[in-house]
Amino acid sequence: MNVLKRCIYGISIVSLASMNIQCKGDKKVEETKLEATATDSVSIAKSEFGKTAKGEQVDLYTLKNQKGMEVNIMTYGGIITSLKVPNKAGVSEEVVIGFSNLEQYTKDNPYFGALIGRYGNRIAKGKFTLDGKEYTLAANNGKNALHGGPEGFHRKVWTVEEAKSGANATLKLKYVSKDLEEGYPGNLTVFVTYTLNNDNSLDVLYEATTDKKTIVNLTQHSYFNLSGDFTKTILDDEVVIDADKLVPVDADLIPTGKLTDVTNTPFDFRKPRVIGKDIEAKDDQLIKGKGYDHCWVLNNQDKGDRFAASAYDPTSGRLLEVYTDQPGIQLYTGNFLDGTLPMRNGGTYAHRTGLCLETQHYPDSPNQKDFPSTVLSPGENYKTKTTFKFSVK
Ligand code: GLA
């Protein structure tokens, strides 16, 4: 036990039956299996991933179920670095874009696998007003603010509140965003809990409280390539989005304020639509987005957690379904991927080799009086859930 005491730190281990510990020096944990009992079906294990330039330690958690699904999440940015699920032949393969090492994640990259906050998507000119006071955010996307700013939540080391195995495995991460960090008012305490279930679904639960009125819109920025082959684009994927309306944007991808009907447009995904079918069409919105990079107004907003969207890769047979209680979902088809960022085992991520399904409130809501509010006040609890469910057909 002496060894355990010296080796384990910074984590509340809820249940512990088998451990495999190698100490480097006298305090490092190489790998800690946080497995509870023989009846547990979904396990979680911890290992070191590296150190940031500032010397902060970053850990990697591996959640693994008995149906061939394995998810790696690191404490830096709460980033999903790897997600493996079976294809129709039962072969588990990687389906998210990622890098092989921490250093690459700390360099400029388009939010691969990251938790996004305090405000996912764009805020026009990086400005908004709350109770008559104007706040200014960094303009990190032309004139606009994108995804919480240059550091956002995606470049922060989150602490681990809980890591436990059982009928499912959970990893609860915490980050406290200080008053006026990235320009946003209020100390915001955020918890994101990832839960891997034994039915090949991954839940992402977002919770937050504030001590001053602020705005919050959290999301997850994984890029999926369900084929398991990152040299292939996602253009053959069949996508469904349960939305009658779109949030159209201007040339800077800022909402015009109107919501438009998707009927008879390339944005009608109510029946399965192959992404590549119209992506190059001379459509004003597709031209502005350089492909799909839009937020849809999800149907059944009064129903709480419900089906929102799916993507299906016919070759591998992998189906990803997304469920959420959020009003919107951004489909981004990797239009800015340009073959400059390295794949894990050589080669680079080319144009449109991943797609994102980012559940969220509509972009620029703080400046759009007719959009659902993203304001969080002291005493209120921000709580929202999204599920990524994998299967084959
Ligand atoms: C979001 C945006 C895109 C792009 C990517 C990252 O999904 O909507 O326009 O900025 O993030 O490259």
Side-chain angles (χ1 to χ4, degrees):
M1 263 346 247
N2 216 359
V3 178
L4 295 189
K5 274 189 205 138
R6 284 213 330 261
C7 288
I8 300 168
Y9 57 95
I11 169 170
S12 83
I13 294 168
V14 173
S15 47
L16 196 72
S18 79
M19 298 192 63
N20 168 20
I21 304 169
Q22 295 156 13
C23 292
K24 274 193 211 149
D26 67 351
K27 64 178 174 68
K28 300 277 166 57
V29 179
E30 254 318 88
E31 192 186 68
T32 310
K33 245 195 177 173
L34 310 171
E35 241 170 316
T37 66
T39 56
D40 274 359
S41 51
V42 191
S43 65
I44 183 163
K46 172 189 174 189
S47 58
E48 285 182 16
F49 198 53
K51 280 200 164 55
T52 65
K54 287 188 226 153
E56 302 154 296
Q57 182 175 317
V58 175
D59 291 322
L60 186 73
Y61 285 81
T62 302
L63 292 72
K64 201 170 180 173
N65 72 12
Q66 292 179 352
K67 301 279 165 55
M69 181 161 170
E70 185 179 314
V71 184
N72 284 340
I73 299 159
M74 67 164 154
T75 51
Y76 182 83
I79 291 173
I80 297 177
T81 61
S82 166
L83 193 158
K84 293 183 182 136
V85 276
N87 63 8
K88 62 187 169 195
V91 181
S92 276
E93 287 166 314
E94 185 63 69
V95 297
V96 293
I97 285 184
F99 300 126
S100 60
N101 61 72
L102 177 62
E103 200 199 339
Q104 194 67 50
Y105 281 102
T106 63
K107 292 185 191 156
D108 227 18
N109 79 80
Y111 312 92
F112 284 169
L115 291 178
I116 304 296
R118 189 175 300 200
Y119 196 95
N121 218 318
R122 291 171 177 79
I123 295 181
K125 301 190 178 74
K127 286 189 191 301
F128 64 97
T129 302
L130 266 183
D131 287 343
K133 190 172 174 353
E134 188 180 74
Y135 293 91
T136 302
L137 312 168
N140 61 339
N141 187 249
K143 304 187 288 265
N144 305 313
L146 175 66
H147 291 335
E151 297 277 310
F153 292 176
H154 58 284
R155 291 187 178 278
K156 303 291 183 191
V157 179
W158 293 57
T159 55
V160 174
E161 279 288 293
E162 187 174 77
K164 68 171 181 191
S165 62
N168 50 44
T170 54
L171 177 67
K172 184 172 185 179
L173 301 172
K174 179 181 181 185
Y175 177 66
V176 180
S177 166
K178 292 271 155 51
D179 186 25
L180 294 180
E181 183 179 294
E182 297 282 31
Y184 296 92
N187 291 295
L188 186 78
T189 304
V190 186
F191 295 98
V192 174
T193 308
Y194 287 106
T195 301
L196 176 62
N197 303 294
N198 212 17
D199 64 352
N200 285 358
S201 64
L202 179 72
D203 301 330
V204 192
L205 175 70
Y206 305 86
E207 295 168 283
T209 51
T210 185
D211 63 359
K212 256 191 220 161
K213 206 182 247 196
T214 189
I215 53 168
V216 187
N217 186 28
L218 307 181
T219 192
Q220 222 293 333
H221 212 295
S222 285
Y223 288 67
F224 298 99
N225 184 322
L226 298 172
S227 73
D229 176 356
F230 292 90
T231 64
K232 282 174 64 177
T233 70
I234 45 77
L235 293 173
D236 291 338
D237 280 19
E238 294 168 16
V239 167
V240 173
I241 302 176
D242 189 11
D244 298 338
K245 289 191 181 128
L246 181 77
V247 183
V249 289
D250 67 16
D252 291 328
L253 298 182
I254 296 295
T256 60
K258 294 195 200 92
L259 305 178
T260 51
D261 191 334
V262 296
T263 308
N264 295 326
T265 74
F267 292 83
D268 190 349
F269 282 88
R270 290 171 294 188
K271 297 219 172 66
R273 174 183 279 274
V274 176
I275 296 206
K277 183 171 177 276
D278 291 312
I279 200 167
E280 299 295 349
K282 300 257 167 300
D283 171 275
D284 172 62
Q285 283 300 309
L286 283 171
I287 292 167
K288 286 181 171 136
K290 300 189 169 51
Y292 294 105
D293 191 357
H294 295 79
C295 187
W296 274 254
V297 177
L298 288 169
N299 293 336
N300 302 312
Q301 296 200 355
D302 53 342
K303 295 227 170 83
D305 200 2
R306 79 290 193 202
F307 172 81
S310 63
Y312 172 64
D313 169 56
T315 310
S316 67
R318 287 192 186 92
L319 172 70
L320 162 62
E321 292 166 291
V322 182
Y323 297 82
T324 191
D325 50 25
Q326 290 291 280
I329 194 164
Q330 180 96 359
L331 166 65
Y332 169 58
T333 46
N335 312 314
F336 298 117
L337 295 176
D338 59 1
T340 51
L341 293 168
M343 295 201 277
R344 295 180 180 85
N345 303 311
T348 55
Y349 291 110
H351 195 216
R352 297 186 176 145
T353 48
L355 66 82
C356 304
L357 287 164
E358 308 158 48
T359 55
Q360 57 188 241
H361 270 254
Y362 314 152
D364 198 35
S365 295
N367 296 309
Q368 303 273 353
K369 61 177 180 15
D370 296 331
F371 288 2
S373 171
T374 52
V375 173
L376 184 73
S377 299
E380 290 176 348
N381 293 314
Y382 174 93
K383 190 169 184 184
T384 152
K385 189 176 127 187
T386 290
T387 300
F388 298 101
K389 185 171 189 327
F390 296 87
S391 58
V392 288
K393 64 169 195 176

